[in-house]
Amino acid sequence: MRLLKRLIATLVLVPAFAGAATEGLIPLDRAPAKTTDISALQNGAKLFVNYCLNCHAAASMRYSRLQDIGLTEAQIRDNLLFAGERVGDLMTIAMKPKDAKAWFGATPPDLSVIARAKASSAGTGPDWLYTYLRNFYQDDNRPTGWNNLVFEDVGMPHALWELQGTRTAVFDNVVDPHDKTKTIRKFVRYDNVKQGKLTPVEFDYAVADLVGYLEWMAEPAQNTRKRLGVWVLLFLGIFLVLAWRLNASYWKDIK
């Protein structure tokens, strides 16, 4: 019984500690659900190709799969292919991993299933990505000139800075509630340096579209799977009723 209690306590506490460890200096914001919004997914695909695909590959995804979100082959070819790729090609990049590591300090990860990967490690992939992409700030102490409140000392520069603008972060030192002899750094506010192409609200919508696309790309068949799941459950429910009545009819004359 004691061992069982310890196991239950571990299962309850570990996810909580893991979630807290991944939130960085701020809590995670809830990402808007966009995986069924076709126009949002199309805008997210455009943002991904224009701002993410320069450094990050998505080698498990083909451009042609974007037809599943309503884009035609001509639209993909005319608007999302810039370096001689073909519609049937995988979403790869020309940058070599060796060069990427030298420039950024680490090889940029493949983003094919990043939303599912973060869901496994951080507990909620879309929320982590949504908060992370919206909380970059200028930091002259970092090699790239950028830092992030969710992922401190990140090696990635702010790819969306033209849209969001540039800003600095203001921090304050406060007493650690767990150890009164120590102080910890607490985020206070952002100070705007330069306005971006989008307003803050527009930028949040754009990031939500991008995260929605990343979530869809991690499993393009997820919406179909969910629709089929509903019909399967309905079928099983009807079959259960028929089996129950058939069983009652079969045994009704047997005492």
Side-chain angles (χ1 to χ4, degrees):
M1 181 61 70
R2 184 178 299 175
L3 178 61
L4 180 60
K5 289 181 178 179
R6 289 180 179 177
L7 178 60
I8 293 174
T10 301
L11 292 175
V12 170
L13 293 176
V14 167
F17 284 127
T22 58
E23 289 182 3
L25 297 173
I26 57 172
L28 300 182
D29 296 325
R30 179 63 62 88
K34 296 280 189 175
T35 55
T36 58
D37 187 335
I38 296 299
S39 61
L41 292 176
Q42 291 177 353
N43 186 47
K46 181 184 71 175
L47 292 170
F48 177 77
V49 171
N50 282 277
Y51 292 98
C52 303
L53 200 56
N54 298 313
C55 301
H56 295 274
S60 297
M61 172 65 64
R62 294 185 184 277
Y63 289 98
S64 57
R65 194 65 191 262
L66 298 178
Q67 294 177 86
D68 292 356
I69 58 174
L71 296 175
T72 65
E73 185 173 328
Q75 288 174 325
I76 297 171
R77 183 175 57 253
D78 296 340
N79 300 290
L80 300 178
L81 303 180
F82 308 116
E85 304 96 337
R86 293 174 297 182
V87 174
D89 288 347
L90 296 170
M91 290 184 169
T92 56
I93 59 174
M95 183 169 57
K96 298 179 181 179
K98 181 180 178 180
D99 294 334
K101 189 171 184 178
W103 296 335
F104 302 116
T107 302
D110 186 283
L111 298 183
S112 299
V113 294
I114 190 65
R116 296 182 66 180
K118 287 300 179 183
S120 299
S121 63
T124 171
D127 294 351
W128 191 95
L129 292 169
Y130 180 65
T131 310
Y132 167 72
L133 291 172
R134 292 163 48 247
N135 281 282
F136 278 90
Y137 63 92
Q138 281 188 326
D139 185 350
D140 294 336
N141 296 319
R142 298 297 302 154
T144 63
W146 297 96
N147 210 330
N148 192 283
L149 291 183
V150 178
F151 190 165
E152 288 191 87
D153 298 334
V154 64
M156 172 181 164
H158 187 14
L160 303 174
W161 71 269
E162 288 184 329
L163 302 180
Q164 186 181 30
T166 56
R167 57 190 181 174
T168 57
V170 178
F171 299 92
D172 190 14
N173 291 323
V174 298
V175 176
D176 188 343
H178 304 293
D179 187 347
K180 302 299 183 180
T181 64
K182 298 180 180 180
T183 60
I184 58 175
R185 191 173 64 152
K186 181 180 179 181
F187 171 71
V188 178
R189 68 179 187 276
Y190 285 121
D191 285 341
N192 290 326
V193 176
K194 182 179 179 182
Q195 179 63 41
K197 295 179 179 179
L198 303 179
T199 66
V201 173
E202 291 172 338
F203 182 74
D204 286 350
Y205 275 114
V207 172
D209 291 348
L210 175 58
V211 171
Y213 171 76
L214 291 172
E215 188 178 5
W216 172 83
M217 182 172 65
E219 187 186 357
Q222 60 182 287
N223 293 328
T224 301
R225 171 176 58 79
K226 292 174 182 178
R227 287 195 297 269
L228 288 176
V230 173
W231 287 107
V232 169
L233 290 175
L234 288 174
F235 170 78
L236 291 176
I238 295 172
F239 184 79
L240 176 63
V241 172
L242 293 176
W244 169 52
R245 297 312 307 158
L246 180 62
N247 179 71
S249 176
Y250 181 81
W251 291 100
K252 66 179 182 179
D253 296 327
I254 300 177
K255 297 182 180 180

PDB file of all heavy atoms in Angstrom, residues 160-172:
ATOM      1  N   LEU A 160      10.598  36.305 -36.694  1.00  0.00           N
ATOM      2  CA  LEU A 160       9.412  37.100 -37.003  1.00  0.00           C
ATOM      3  C   LEU A 160       9.544  38.552 -36.542  1.00  0.00           C
ATOM      4  O   LEU A 160       8.542  39.242 -36.383  1.00  0.00           O
ATOM      5  CB  LEU A 160       8.178  36.459 -36.341  1.00  0.00           C
ATOM      6  CG  LEU A 160       7.890  35.003 -36.707  1.00  0.00           C
ATOM      7  CD1 LEU A 160       6.732  34.467 -35.876  1.00  0.00           C
ATOM      8  CD2 LEU A 160       7.587  34.852 -38.191  1.00  0.00           C
ATOM      9  N   TRP A 161      10.766  39.017 -36.355  1.00  0.00           N
ATOM     10  CA  TRP A 161      10.941  40.364 -35.792  1.00  0.00           C
ATOM     11  C   TRP A 161      10.393  41.461 -36.700  1.00  0.00           C
ATOM     12  O   TRP A 161       9.916  42.493 -36.218  1.00  0.00           O
ATOM     13  CB  TRP A 161      12.430  40.620 -35.510  1.00  0.00           C
ATOM     14  CG  TRP A 161      13.286  40.797 -36.732  1.00  0.00           C
ATOM     15  CD1 TRP A 161      13.947  39.814 -37.406  1.00  0.00           C
ATOM     16  CD2 TRP A 161      13.558  42.019 -37.414  1.00  0.00           C
ATOM     17  NE1 TRP A 161      14.624  40.348 -38.484  1.00  0.00           N
ATOM     18  CE2 TRP A 161      14.408  41.715 -38.509  1.00  0.00           C
ATOM     19  CE3 TRP A 161      13.186  43.351 -37.223  1.00  0.00           C
ATOM     20  CZ2 TRP A 161      14.862  42.674 -39.394  1.00  0.00           C
ATOM     21  CZ3 TRP A 161      13.646  44.312 -38.112  1.00  0.00           C
ATOM     22  CH2 TRP A 161      14.475  43.967 -39.177  1.00  0.00           C
ATOM     23  N   GLU A 162      10.428  41.251 -38.017  1.00  0.00           N
ATOM     24  CA  GLU A 162       9.890  42.264 -38.917  1.00  0.00           C
ATOM     25  C   GLU A 162       8.394  42.458 -38.695  1.00  0.00           C
ATOM     26  O   GLU A 162       7.872  43.564 -38.858  1.00  0.00           O
ATOM     27  CB  GLU A 162      10.151  41.885 -40.374  1.00  0.00           C
ATOM     28  CG  GLU A 162      11.597  42.024 -40.811  1.00  0.00           C
ATOM     29  CD  GLU A 162      11.777  41.727 -42.284  1.00  0.00           C
ATOM     30  OE1 GLU A 162      11.017  40.908 -42.829  1.00  0.00           O
ATOM     31  OE2 GLU A 162      12.666  42.342 -42.895  1.00  0.00           O
ATOM     32  N   LEU A 163       7.714  41.377 -38.346  1.00  0.00           N
ATOM     33  CA  LEU A 163       6.276  41.451 -38.123  1.00  0.00           C
ATOM     34  C   LEU A 163       5.952  41.996 -36.736  1.00  0.00           C
ATOM     35  O   LEU A 163       5.047  42.819 -36.578  1.00  0.00           O
ATOM     36  CB  LEU A 163       5.642  40.065 -38.297  1.00  0.00           C
ATOM     37  CG  LEU A 163       5.850  39.388 -39.652  1.00  0.00           C
ATOM     38  CD1 LEU A 163       5.177  38.029 -39.668  1.00  0.00           C
ATOM     39  CD2 LEU A 163       5.332  40.262 -40.788  1.00  0.00           C
ATOM     40  N   GLN A 164       6.676  41.541 -35.733  1.00  0.00           N
ATOM     41  CA  GLN A 164       6.382  41.938 -34.352  1.00  0.00           C
ATOM     42  C   GLN A 164       7.041  43.261 -33.965  1.00  0.00           C
ATOM     43  O   GLN A 164       6.515  44.018 -33.149  1.00  0.00           O
ATOM     44  CB  GLN A 164       6.837  40.857 -33.373  1.00  0.00           C
ATOM     45  CG  GLN A 164       6.428  41.143 -31.927  1.00  0.00           C
ATOM     46  CD  GLN A 164       6.913  40.063 -30.968  1.00  0.00           C
ATOM     47  OE1 GLN A 164       7.938  39.437 -31.192  1.00  0.00           O
ATOM     48  NE2 GLN A 164       6.162  39.839 -29.906  1.00  0.00           N
ATOM     49  N   GLY A 165       8.199  43.542 -34.550  1.00  0.00           N
ATOM     50  CA  GLY A 165       8.979  44.693 -34.129  1.00  0.00           C
ATOM     51  C   GLY A 165      10.054  44.261 -33.152  1.00  0.00           C
ATOM     52  O   GLY A 165      10.236  43.073 -32.881  1.00  0.00           O
ATOM     53  N   THR A 166      10.784  45.217 -32.604  1.00  0.00           N
ATOM     54  CA  THR A 166      11.844  44.905 -31.645  1.00  0.00           C
ATOM     55  C   THR A 166      11.506  45.522 -30.295  1.00  0.00           C
ATOM     56  O   THR A 166      10.894  46.603 -30.220  1.00  0.00           O
ATOM     57  CB  THR A 166      13.199  45.444 -32.133  1.00  0.00           C
ATOM     58  OG1 THR A 166      13.084  46.857 -32.386  1.00  0.00           O
ATOM     59  CG2 THR A 166      13.628  44.742 -33.415  1.00  0.00           C
ATOM     60  N   ARG A 167      11.928  44.854 -29.241  1.00  0.00           N
ATOM     61  CA  ARG A 167      11.660  45.326 -27.887  1.00  0.00           C
ATOM     62  C   ARG A 167      12.693  44.756 -26.929  1.00  0.00           C
ATOM     63  O   ARG A 167      13.370  43.761 -27.232  1.00  0.00           O
ATOM     64  CB  ARG A 167      10.257  44.919 -27.443  1.00  0.00           C
ATOM     65  CG  ARG A 167      10.011  43.415 -27.513  1.00  0.00           C
ATOM     66  CD  ARG A 167       8.568  43.086 -27.297  1.00  0.00           C
ATOM     67  NE  ARG A 167       8.349  41.643 -27.333  1.00  0.00           N
ATOM     68  CZ  ARG A 167       7.196  41.053 -27.064  1.00  0.00           C
ATOM     69  NH1 ARG A 167       6.138  41.790 -26.758  1.00  0.00           N
ATOM     70  NH2 ARG A 167       7.068  39.749 -27.114  1.00  0.00           N
ATOM     71  N   THR A 168      12.824  45.377 -25.804  1.00  0.00           N
ATOM     72  CA  THR A 168      13.710  44.887 -24.751  1.00  0.00           C
ATOM     73  C   THR A 168      12.860  44.459 -23.558  1.00  0.00           C
ATOM     74  O   THR A 168      11.702  44.890 -23.416  1.00  0.00           O
ATOM     75  CB  THR A 168      14.712  45.964 -24.315  1.00  0.00           C
ATOM     76  OG1 THR A 168      13.988  47.126 -23.876  1.00  0.00           O
ATOM     77  CG2 THR A 168      15.634  46.339 -25.466  1.00  0.00           C
ATOM     78  N   ALA A 169      13.439  43.632 -22.715  1.00  0.00           N
ATOM     79  CA  ALA A 169      12.726  43.141 -21.538  1.00  0.00           C
ATOM     80  C   ALA A 169      13.297  43.782 -20.276  1.00  0.00           C
ATOM     81  O   ALA A 169      14.502  43.965 -20.151  1.00  0.00           O
ATOM     82  CB  ALA A 169      12.837  41.619 -21.450  1.00  0.00           C
ATOM     83  N   VAL A 170      12.414  44.134 -19.361  1.00  0.00           N
ATOM     84  CA  VAL A 170      12.806  44.711 -18.077  1.00  0.00           C
ATOM     85  C   VAL A 170      12.568  43.664 -16.994  1.00  0.00           C
ATOM     86  O   VAL A 170      11.484  43.068 -16.911  1.00  0.00           O
ATOM     87  CB  VAL A 170      11.996  45.987 -17.774  1.00  0.00           C
ATOM     88  CG1 VAL A 170      12.381  46.542 -16.404  1.00  0.00           C
ATOM     89  CG2 VAL A 170      12.204  47.020 -18.866  1.00  0.00           C
ATOM     90  N   PHE A 171      13.586  43.443 -16.162  1.00  0.00           N
ATOM     91  CA  PHE A 171      13.509  42.447 -15.096  1.00  0.00           C
ATOM     92  C   PHE A 171      13.747  43.109 -13.744  1.00  0.00           C
ATOM     93  O   PHE A 171      14.310  44.206 -13.645  1.00  0.00           O
ATOM     94  CB  PHE A 171      14.551  41.341 -15.309  1.00  0.00           C
ATOM     95  CG  PHE A 171      14.377  40.570 -16.592  1.00  0.00           C
ATOM     96  CD1 PHE A 171      15.048  40.962 -17.753  1.00  0.00           C
ATOM     97  CD2 PHE A 171      13.546  39.477 -16.654  1.00  0.00           C
ATOM     98  CE1 PHE A 171      14.891  40.263 -18.930  1.00  0.00           C
ATOM     99  CE2 PHE A 171      13.380  38.765 -17.827  1.00  0.00           C
ATOM    100  CZ  PHE A 171      14.048  39.158 -18.978  1.00  0.00           C
ATOM    101  N   ASP A 172      13.322  42.418 -12.704  1.00  0.00           N
ATOM    102  CA  ASP A 172      13.560  42.869 -11.339  1.00  0.00           C
ATOM    103  C   ASP A 172      14.012  41.663 -10.518  1.00  0.00           C
ATOM    104  O   ASP A 172      13.594  40.532 -10.787  1.00  0.00           O
ATOM    105  CB  ASP A 172      12.285  43.462 -10.749  1.00  0.00           C
ATOM    106  CG  ASP A 172      12.536  44.178  -9.425  1.00  0.00           C
ATOM    107  OD1 ASP A 172      13.717  44.439  -9.123  1.00  0.00           O
ATOM    108  OD2 ASP A 172      11.558  44.466  -8.702  1.00  0.00           O
TER     109      ASP A 172
END
